[in-house]
Amino acid sequence: CSSDLRFEPLWAQGLFSFILEVFNLTGYDLVKFESELNRLIPQTLAEKWDNIGLQIANENIRIRRVLITLDMTEKVFQYARSLRFDAVLSHHPVIFKPVSRLLCFKNKKHHLIRDLLSSNIALIVLHTNLDKYLFQALSRKLGLTRIKPLSADGFGSYGFLKKTLSLKAFLRLVKKKLKINHVTYTGKEDRTVRCVAALGGSGASLLESSLKEKKIDVLITSDVKYHSGQLAEETGVSVIQASHYDTEKVMLPELKKLLEKKFKDHIYFELNTINTDPFKYN
């Protein structure tokens, strides 16, 4: 019988291990990286229920290549491993609730945790602290001016269009800026839009707060329920609903620029281009 397996001689294995060890010394200490990251985007900004920071890692890791992603999925892991990334910086946590047992043969998430550890790829999470730190990201992407914080708890922002548009025209602008084909919305298409509130992710709860007091014409967000849509009609605020993925992905290029400036010449950062949105649109 024949086999395609290739075995390196012992001297080659030893040389490779030595080169890898020397190269590893040139990397940036993982613990130091997380500490510096915390100074830049404080973990204290995160909500109490959130689970952020360094989630998965082996000991004494030094990093040179970091992949930035909205979600840590199996496809993202395969990409990170194939291109030898040392760490993944994810917006959404892999470990959210406490893990009481690790059953890789039954749970895909547990399987992913094992794969990250066995491949020596660290996982760091920036979730609600990133939402608050880059609260203006979606407004900036839409080209709003005079941007201000939207809520007292630090989520979202609002600002003004450079010129008044109809809701129909603004819908076209949103789809163009976010590079998407579909949104759902409330309100008449001929209504005028000038003041816009923007909150990436789930922001429908703000309909019950002070949107009316700020004289906001439109709220663009995600994960809006049926009755929240009815409430929008009652309050006179139109709601444009894009996907959770599309309203939050706008933060990642801004995050990359911040990190490249902070860790210049020490760490290579790359944006994940794999679409991790679990929903498909037709």
Side-chain angles (χ1 to χ4, degrees), residues 19-36:
I19 293 173
L20 188 63
E21 184 176 345
V22 171
F23 186 57
N24 191 47
L25 292 175
T26 66
Y28 204 93
D29 181 76
L30 176 65
V31 175
K32 182 181 178 182
F33 174 70
E34 189 200 16
S35 178
E36 295 290 334

Side-chain angles (χ1 to χ4, degrees), residues 5-281:
L5 292 176
R6 299 288 188 272
F7 294 98
E8 298 285 350
L10 289 178
W11 68 265
Q13 294 179 31
L15 179 61
F16 178 76
S17 297
F18 174 75
I19 293 173
L20 188 63
E21 184 176 345
V22 171
F23 186 57
N24 191 47
L25 292 175
T26 66
Y28 204 93
D29 181 76
L30 176 65
V31 175
K32 182 181 178 182
F33 174 70
E34 189 200 16
S35 178
E36 295 290 334
L37 192 61
N38 185 36
R39 290 192 185 95
L40 180 65
I41 306 171
Q43 294 184 4
T44 53
L45 291 176
E47 294 292 284
K48 292 181 179 178
W49 48 261
D50 204 1
N51 189 24
I52 59 167
L54 187 59
Q55 288 201 342
I56 300 169
N58 286 320
E59 296 177 319
N60 303 322
I61 292 179
R62 301 186 73 85
I63 59 175
R64 300 164 300 279
R65 296 168 54 81
V66 176
L67 183 65
I68 301 171
T69 183
L70 204 65
D71 305 282
M72 185 67 233
T73 65
E74 179 63 27
K75 286 184 178 179
V76 175
F77 163 73
Q78 294 293 347
Y79 179 81
R81 183 173 64 176
S82 66
L83 293 183
R84 299 184 181 276
F85 281 92
D86 308 295
V88 175
L89 198 55
S90 176
H91 179 52
H92 295 131
V94 168
I95 302 173
F96 194 71
K97 296 180 180 179
V99 177
S100 57
R101 55 183 63 87
L102 203 62
L103 303 175
C104 301
F105 65 96
K106 293 179 67 175
N107 188 299
K108 288 185 177 180
K109 186 173 290 187
H110 294 178
H111 190 277
L112 181 58
I113 293 170
R114 183 200 65 183
D115 285 347
L116 286 165
L117 285 170
S118 63
S119 301
N120 214 30
I121 299 174
L123 177 70
I124 303 173
V125 173
L126 296 171
H127 193 206
T128 52
N129 53 332
L130 184 64
D131 288 326
K132 293 179 183 181
Y133 188 81
L134 294 179
F135 71 94
Q136 297 184 0
L138 186 53
S139 286
R140 282 194 287 256
K141 187 67 177 179
L142 296 173
L144 303 183
T145 62
R146 291 182 282 160
I147 300 171
K148 297 179 181 179
L150 178 60
S151 62
D153 57 7
F155 291 106
S157 57
Y158 74 99
F160 298 84
L161 294 170
K162 293 178 181 178
K163 63 178 182 178
T164 301
L165 297 175
S166 67
L167 178 59
K168 184 176 182 179
F170 183 62
L171 289 169
R172 289 197 298 267
L173 176 67
V174 168
K175 289 189 282 188
K176 179 182 178 181
K177 292 289 187 179
L178 298 185
K179 298 180 180 179
I180 56 178
N181 296 318
H182 303 282
V183 294
T184 57
Y185 63 96
T186 66
K188 296 181 178 179
E189 290 186 350
D190 61 354
R191 72 163 297 176
T192 58
V193 177
R194 185 66 191 277
C195 185
V196 178
L199 199 164
S202 305
S205 60
L206 289 175
L207 287 167
E208 300 176 8
S209 59
S210 58
L211 291 184
K212 186 80 172 179
E213 297 172 12
K214 291 184 173 70
K215 297 182 179 180
I216 287 169
D217 301 310
V218 174
L219 167 66
I220 177 167
T221 189
S222 185
D223 303 340
V224 181
K225 295 182 179 180
Y226 181 83
H227 294 294
S228 295
Q230 291 180 322
L231 179 60
E233 291 189 328
E234 293 173 11
T235 59
V237 177
S238 291
V239 173
I240 298 175
Q241 178 180 221
S243 74
H244 196 114
Y245 175 84
D246 289 316
T247 58
E248 289 194 328
K249 69 183 182 183
V250 297
M251 292 188 295
L252 301 189
E254 292 197 12
L255 174 61
K256 181 174 180 284
K257 288 181 181 179
L258 284 170
L259 296 176
E260 286 176 335
K261 183 178 179 180
K262 175 70 176 177
F263 299 97
K264 184 179 179 180
D265 301 328
H266 294 288
I267 301 174
Y268 167 77
F269 295 96
E270 182 177 311
L271 290 179
N272 168 47
T273 58
I274 298 170
N275 189 326
T276 58
D277 190 346
F279 294 101
K280 293 178 174 62
Y281 306 89

